[in-house]
Every structure is written in C-alpha cells, then in structure tokens.
Amino acid sequence: MPGEITKVQNRKQLREFVNFPERLYKDNPYYVPPLVFDQMDTLDQEKGAAQEFCKSGLYLAYKDGECVGRVAAIVNFKANEQWNHKEVRFGWFDFVDDAEVSAALMEKVYEFGREYGMESVVGPLGFTDFDPEGMLVEGYENTPPFNCLYNFPYYNDFVRELGYEKECDWLQYRMVANHGVPDKARRVARIVRERYNLHFGSLAALKKDKALVRKFFQVYNESFATSVVNFIPLTDKEIDEEAASVMPFLTDKASSL
C-alpha cells in the first residue's frame, strides 16, 4: 500500500515538503541542497510573481508516520495559452525507492489537473523556467550545476513504468575553471564581438540602471522564445523579482577561492 497522501496546507507542512530531500539524499555525496528560504518563497502560494498565472497543489506521502515522498501539481495558464495545450505539470517529484509511492503521488497530480480541465501531463517542470526542470538520466556520479536537478536512477524506472516518454534531451557540459577558457571559445567570442560591434560593460553600472536591467531580461525573453522547449517569457513583475534576487550578487571585482 502507498500509505497516506496529504495536501500541504500550512507553513509547517511546507517546510517538511522543502526539507524532504535532505533526508532522502543525506548519504549521497553528489546531491546539492537548494536554499531553504528560496524554496519556501517559490512554493508559497501567497508569494511570487508566477502565482498570478499558476495554480498549484503540493502533496506529501507518508508510510507508518514517516514522510516518503513529495510532488507539486502545477497548472501554468500562461504556458498553456502560449503553447496551445492543456497540460498539468508535475515538479519537486522526490520519493523513496517504492513504485507504489510514486504512482500514488502522480494520481494526485492527475486529480489536480482534471479539476482545471487539463488533458495531459508533463514534467518535471516548475512554475517558470528558473525552477529546476527535467530528470537526470545519466551522469549520477557528477555534482549537478547550479539550479539543475539531481535524482536517483530509480526515478527513471518508475516514471517509465507510469507510461511517460522522454520529450527532449538537455546536455550539461563541464569546464574546469582553473584551466582557462578554451582557444576555440575565445575565437568565437572575438568574431561575435567584432561582427556585432559589442563591447564589455560594467556590472556596477548595470546594477544602477533599472531600464538596462529590464532590457537585459527582455533580450533573454526574445532569445529563448522559440528555441527552448516549454519556455515562457518573463513578465515585467517577474523581471523585477528576478533582478532584485540576482543583481546584488553580481560584481565586477575578481575573487579567488
């Protein structure tokens, strides 16, 4: 039996939802935990710009009084309108090595989707493209890059058993920082710089110019609009929110570890 599935309805349950992977991956040397406060804000249905165009339900699975899994069911109305489909998303999908638990959690996603007239399911995806997406299918011996998911190999087995198929591949490349930038990358950068008359800017100046910051994110929207699967352009409110979150950490000053 899969045990009990409970919908998150208060801050205590939300914190348990956010912290569940800490226990699940406690002995795994490759898992990198996200910032708890950031996850709490992202998943809080009273916060975040994405809540203006998304509906979500968070669910926890229990067996013998112990939390054994979690999943978020998300309907992104803006994405559905843009891509002309009726999809419910599943994200934050983590569970112990138990097929019944994963299946019971997904049933809650299906129920949530039907409430809003959805006709298909896709995932793992979050509210926006800044949330972790996809599922690791190889390279389990590597530490994941920033904002990328890590999962046990059995996740893929259970998801396939549930009838899901891979939609696309995302490839990750690793470059060792102290080896310098490859000559080929330098040549390509020089050619692009000369062809389009580009120049190096100042991060300090950028941080003081709100209009330029917004332009930066608008270029991001235009660049990814038709080239990235399931991409959703950022709204003005999301741009302001992301800028406030990221810009304080950017600096022109060199540092060393």
Side-chain angles (χ1 to χ4, degrees), residues 188-201 219:
V188 171
R190 177 178 54 79
I191 292 170
V192 171
R193 219 167 43 241
E194 293 173 354
R195 179 175 299 174
Y196 297 103
N197 192 29
L198 302 178
H199 62 278
F200 291 103
V219 171

Side-chain angles (χ1 to χ4, degrees), residues 2-137:
E4 176 188 1
I5 307 296
T6 300
K7 188 172 184 178
V8 172
Q9 296 181 323
N10 55 54
R11 293 287 290 182
K12 181 180 178 181
Q13 291 174 319
L14 179 59
R15 186 168 292 277
E16 184 171 22
F17 185 97
V18 168
N19 288 332
F20 170 68
E22 295 288 317
R23 182 161 46 81
L24 183 65
Y25 289 96
K26 67 178 181 179
D27 297 321
N28 187 294
Y30 306 109
Y31 174 75
V32 179
L35 297 173
V36 172
F37 77 88
D38 182 60
Q39 291 287 284
M40 293 288 287
D41 286 347
T42 297
L43 293 163
D44 190 331
Q45 295 177 328
E46 302 299 323
K47 296 182 178 180
Q51 301 300 337
E52 293 186 351
F53 51 83
C54 290
K55 292 292 184 182
S56 61
L58 310 179
Y59 301 92
L60 291 165
Y62 294 91
K63 265 191 173 182
D64 300 322
E66 180 180 359
C67 185
V68 291
R70 68 173 188 174
V71 72
I74 302 167
V75 175
N76 186 313
F77 297 102
K78 188 171 72 168
N80 282 339
E81 180 180 359
Q82 177 177 332
W83 295 98
N84 192 30
H85 52 213
K86 295 182 177 181
E87 291 182 340
V88 57
R89 300 173 166 206
F90 67 91
W92 287 271
F93 191 33
D94 295 286
F95 47 90
V96 298
D97 191 353
D98 187 325
E100 288 188 329
V101 170
S102 61
L105 286 167
M106 287 304 300
E107 281 298 327
K108 289 299 180 181
V109 176
Y110 305 152
E111 290 177 13
F112 187 86
R114 285 192 291 266
E115 288 181 24
Y116 292 94
M118 299 298 104
E119 298 174 350
S120 58
V121 187
V122 64
L125 290 172
F127 299 97
T128 74
D129 295 286
F130 286 123
D131 295 323
E133 302 178 345
M135 187 170 284
L136 192 65
V137 297

Side-chain angles (χ1 to χ4, degrees), residues 210-242:
K210 291 185 178 180
L212 194 57
V213 169
R214 180 161 288 187
K215 179 62 177 177
F216 172 88
F217 283 101
Q218 288 170 347
V219 171
Y220 167 84
N221 277 345
E222 294 168 6
S223 301
F224 284 74
T226 58
S227 60
V228 177
V229 176
N230 288 313
F231 178 74
I232 318 158
L234 297 170
T235 64
D236 287 345
K237 185 173 181 179
E238 286 180 287
I239 288 175
D240 292 340
E241 187 178 83
E242 194 64 28

